[in-house]
Amino acid sequence: MPPTRLDDQPAAPSRRAAAPPATVTVVLVARDPHDTGRLLGSLLSQRRPPDRVVLVDASLDGLGDTDDLLDPVDDAGIEVLRTRIGTGTGSRRALQRVVEALPEAGQGRDLLWVLPSRAVPHPKSLDQLVAAARPGVGVAAPKLVDVEAPRRLVRFGIQATRAGRLVPDPRPDALDQGQYDELGGRDLLAAPLEGALLDRAVLVELGGHRARLGEVGADLDLGWRAQRAGHRVVGVPGARVALTPTAAEHRPSGAHRRQARRAAMAHASLPTRLLRGPWLALLTTLTALGLLLAKRPDLARDEISQLPAFLSPSSYRGTRTSPREVSRSHLDALFVTPATARQALADDLRGERGADGVDARSLEAERSGGWLTHPLPWLLLAPQLAITVVFFLWPAAQAVRQSFLRQDAFGINTTFVGLSNFKALWSSPEYLNSLQVTVVFAVAVTVLSMGFALLLAVAVDRMIRSTSIYTTL
């Protein structure tokens, strides 16, 4: 029987004899035919099979004829619907379109299980997720593992500080040693869309994902809004979904870090944004400089990549409000604390991992966190920092301040004049002449000295004898 198109007439109820307590619809975002077939096979092996499957063709050239892929699913008594989206449409926008076009479930709760074609769920995953998705739960998140190495963890929820700093836990390439099994049913701040089981009614109530925030930003924002609206986001470690991880899932990319920062800015009040944005920009810059001094340009690059989130005007625009049933203070336990974030940065700075991929924190729980948290390095740096502040930074700040003031001859009375001093300076012929002479002198000295040095270097390169003498000169 050919599959039904999503925009056709509403499909008939599932042919299952016994009505399930919830109707589960798998939203399969397909980008590769081979991976899609593998995922459909794993759905058929689920201990609790889904009731409907919506095949969302998101491949570049189209999947072509999918009847051979979908016939076994239809023969198993599972409704099959399909639709196609443009290649530039992300999974979050595709989910919103599916929610708008999908017929409502006739009975029970309407749950959506979002799976990319690169995913392979464990046979008990759906059963575990449905059991965890009790009333009051908006999102149930599985444990994501590497399909090539099932013992290697990829993600288990999204962890961030209230300011939006991503602090992945599990750490990159950490092994699954059962360390999260005791956290079953524990609330998470948010969860990645891949593999998550969502309550359709909650998704409609919240207005779906804010796709403009990007993948990680939209997922973080949705979980944040769900928790504020009184709908829990729970982790289900017994539900395992293996997938082929991307590079950004091994370690958050610069784009993902910016997205998380923007999502956090969107949840702050306007006065808080105006204060937090410049402060975080300064703090991020200083952290990046410290990491460069520590000879870790890779970590400094991660810090610098977050700056556009604080400098972009879009981060300071208001967003549409969502239902708020829970106070901000009640969500404090869901955020990563600043101390934990500093500890994670210290672990990254040391770059120490065990041979089996376990990160430094699990191997060195006794340690204090490296030089970022130890007082001795800061005490050794304190004299030089004090000299720099007193004799360089403070005079420079005073000079900038006084450039906006006008004083009398005795320096007793001052008047704020704004940019008048600068206007007078740029209209002064003497200053413009001295500026021109300075520029000409600097350019001439640089060109002549570098040009002469280049000629000497070329000459020395062609010399056979006395090369070392000319090189020294």
Side-chain angles (χ1 to χ4, degrees):
M1 183 178 70
T4 307
R5 291 190 58 83
L6 187 57
D7 51 2
D8 290 343
Q9 295 296 323
S14 171
R15 295 200 295 262
R16 233 178 273 282
T23 300
V24 178
T25 302
V26 173
V27 181
L28 197 165
V29 184
R31 301 188 184 276
D32 179 81
H34 177 267
D35 290 347
T36 302
R38 181 183 62 179
L39 174 54
L40 289 172
S42 66
L43 292 178
L44 294 177
S45 65
Q46 290 294 307
R47 187 167 69 178
R48 196 280 190 203
D51 301 280
R52 298 185 290 192
V53 172
V54 178
L55 179 66
V56 181
D57 188 348
S59 59
L60 183 62
D61 300 319
L63 295 176
D65 187 6
T66 57
D67 289 346
D68 291 341
L69 293 174
L70 297 175
D71 280 345
V73 180
D74 185 73
D75 293 340
I78 301 173
E79 279 184 36
V80 177
L81 303 97
R82 61 181 176 183
T83 187
R84 176 162 175 77
I85 61 173
T87 54
T89 305
S91 301
R92 285 123 192 107
R93 284 195 173 95
L95 177 62
Q96 188 64 25
R97 295 182 183 179
V98 169
V99 169
E100 294 171 354
L102 185 67
E104 294 185 2
Q107 52 192 345
R109 298 179 65 200
D110 203 347
L111 304 177
L112 303 174
W113 195 19
V114 185
L115 293 170
S117 54
R118 59 191 176 97
V120 182
H122 187 273
K124 297 181 181 179
S125 296
L126 183 54
D127 189 44
Q128 296 273 354
L129 290 171
V130 172
R134 298 182 295 271
V137 174
V139 181
K143 184 191 296 181
L144 301 180
V145 299
D146 194 330
V147 70
E148 298 294 336
R151 291 189 62 242
R152 196 171 300 280
L153 293 168
V154 176
R155 276 186 182 180
F156 188 44
I158 298 176
Q159 297 78 26
T161 65
R162 189 176 281 279
R165 184 183 186 88
L166 290 178
V167 186
D169 187 15
R171 306 280 287 166
D173 297 328
L175 296 182
D176 185 4
Q177 300 173 336
Q179 60 268 47
Y180 299 98
D181 292 351
E182 298 179 358
L183 305 181
R186 180 176 178 178
D187 284 69
L188 304 172
L189 174 61
L193 180 62
E194 293 79 9
L197 185 70
L198 300 96
D199 189 320
R200 181 179 179 179
V202 173
L203 198 62
V204 172
E205 176 188 342
L206 298 177
H209 289 84
R210 292 171 177 166
R212 66 176 181 82
L213 294 174
E215 296 176 356
V216 172
D219 292 343
L220 177 60
D221 170 75
L222 181 72
W224 202 325
R225 287 186 290 133
Q227 292 283 9
R228 286 297 302 274
H231 306 293
R232 299 173 60 200
V233 180
V234 299
V236 188
R240 298 166 56 88
V241 174
L243 48 74
T244 305
T246 63
E249 286 171 332
H250 278 300
R251 180 176 182 81
S253 64
H256 287 173
R257 295 176 190 273
R258 287 193 298 273
Q259 293 166 11
R261 291 291 197 180
R262 288 195 178 102
M265 291 281 284
H267 282 268
S269 62
L270 181 58
T272 303
R273 286 181 228 170
L274 295 176
L275 293 174
R276 178 183 290 174
W279 166 247
L280 289 178
L282 175 61
L283 187 62
T284 299
T285 303
L286 293 177
T287 304
L289 291 175
L291 292 171
L292 284 175
L293 293 176
K295 299 182 180 180
R296 290 302 304 267
D298 54 333
L299 299 180
R301 184 173 58 249
D302 289 342
E303 294 296 319
I304 293 298
S305 67
Q306 304 174 55
L307 281 178
F310 310 125
L311 304 178
S312 173
S314 61
S315 299
Y316 297 88
R317 289 203 301 260
T319 56
R320 67 180 185 270
T321 59
S322 297
R324 296 179 179 178
E325 302 291 338
V326 178
S327 66
R328 290 170 54 88
S329 60
H330 287 171
L331 301 184
D332 287 344
L334 302 179
F335 293 97
V336 177
T337 63
T340 303
R342 289 193 297 269
Q343 174 71 49
L345 181 60
D347 290 341
D348 287 338
L349 183 62
R350 288 199 303 267
E352 298 176 4
R353 297 187 188 280
D356 58 354
V358 179
D359 61 89
R361 284 187 299 169
S362 60
L363 291 175
E364 305 180 44
E366 310 291 330
R367 295 194 179 182
S368 60
W371 68 270
L372 283 177
T373 55
H374 199 285
L376 180 59
W378 296 107
L379 292 175
L380 296 176
L381 287 173
Q384 182 60 44
L385 291 176
I387 292 174
T388 303
V389 170
V390 172
F391 293 101
F392 293 94
L393 297 183
W394 176 254
Q398 285 295 100
V400 173
R401 173 180 172 273
Q402 293 176 4
S403 68
F404 297 98
L405 304 175
R406 179 174 297 162
Q407 295 181 344
D408 58 19
F410 300 98
I412 298 175
N413 298 320
T414 59
T415 305
F416 179 77
V417 294
L419 299 177
S420 298
N421 292 333
F422 294 95
K423 293 179 181 178
L425 190 65
W426 285 105
S427 61
S428 171
E430 292 82 2
Y431 175 76
L432 295 178
N433 179 64
S434 64
L435 180 63
Q436 180 180 357
V437 171
T438 302
V439 171
V440 172
F441 177 79
V443 172
V445 169
T446 302
V447 171
L448 291 176
S449 61
M450 295 297 294
F452 184 66
L454 180 61
L455 291 177
L456 281 179
V458 173
V460 168
D461 190 59
R462 294 180 178 179
M463 294 284 295
I464 300 177
R465 300 176 181 179
S466 304
T467 301
S468 60
I469 299 176
Y470 280 96
T471 303
T472 303
L473 294 176

